[in-house]
Amino acid sequence: MSGTKQPLELAICMGSSCFSRGNKRNIKLIKEYIERHGLCGKVVMKGHLCEGLCKDGPNLTVDGQVFNCVDSATILALLDQHLKIQE
Ligand code: FES
């Protein structure tokens, strides 16, 4: 019965402001995290264009919930939190 869980969906703002303010590094961290924990298939990463929220960036959406000012510590904590919840 398990195994039908939806993957965690991460939508990363790839607009130039968010990208240069931290999402470039966040993407790298997320990829490393997925590899390290063997989460391929459990996490889906998508990029999206600027949504006009640049001043609060870097922005990232986790399962439809928007997070602002996401730095490397925040992204790792979010992944831990969400993937544990899904267990
Ligand atoms: S660049 Fe991300 S909201 Fe504008």
Side-chain angles (χ1 to χ4, degrees):
M1 292 296 155
S2 61
T4 53
K5 273 179 254 162
Q6 293 285 88
L8 183 71
E9 193 179 283
L10 301 175
I12 299 141
C13 182
M14 305 288 276
S16 55
S17 172
C18 287
F19 197 72
S20 65
R21 285 167 87 173
N23 272 353
K24 183 175 182 216
R25 196 152 57 113
N26 288 339
I27 291 167
K28 205 169 150 256
L29 283 170
I30 295 165
K31 283 189 179 156
E32 284 169 5
Y33 186 99
I34 292 172
E35 272 176 34
R36 193 168 52 221
H37 297 279
L39 295 168
C40 203
K42 296 196 179 153
V43 182
V44 175
M45 284 171 79
K46 307 196 294 192
H48 64 75
L49 299 175
C50 174
E51 293 188 322
L53 303 166
C54 312
K55 72 172 172 49
D56 298 321
N59 300 309
L60 179 100
T61 307
V62 182
D63 269 349
Q65 194 183 350
V66 183
F67 292 89
N68 311 114
C69 305
V70 180
D71 60 15
S72 29
T74 312
I75 183 64
L76 294 176
L78 279 172
L79 288 169
D80 278 347
Q81 206 186 353
H82 280 264
L83 292 160
K84 225 175 279 161
I85 287 168
Q86 290 218 323
E87 221 74 71

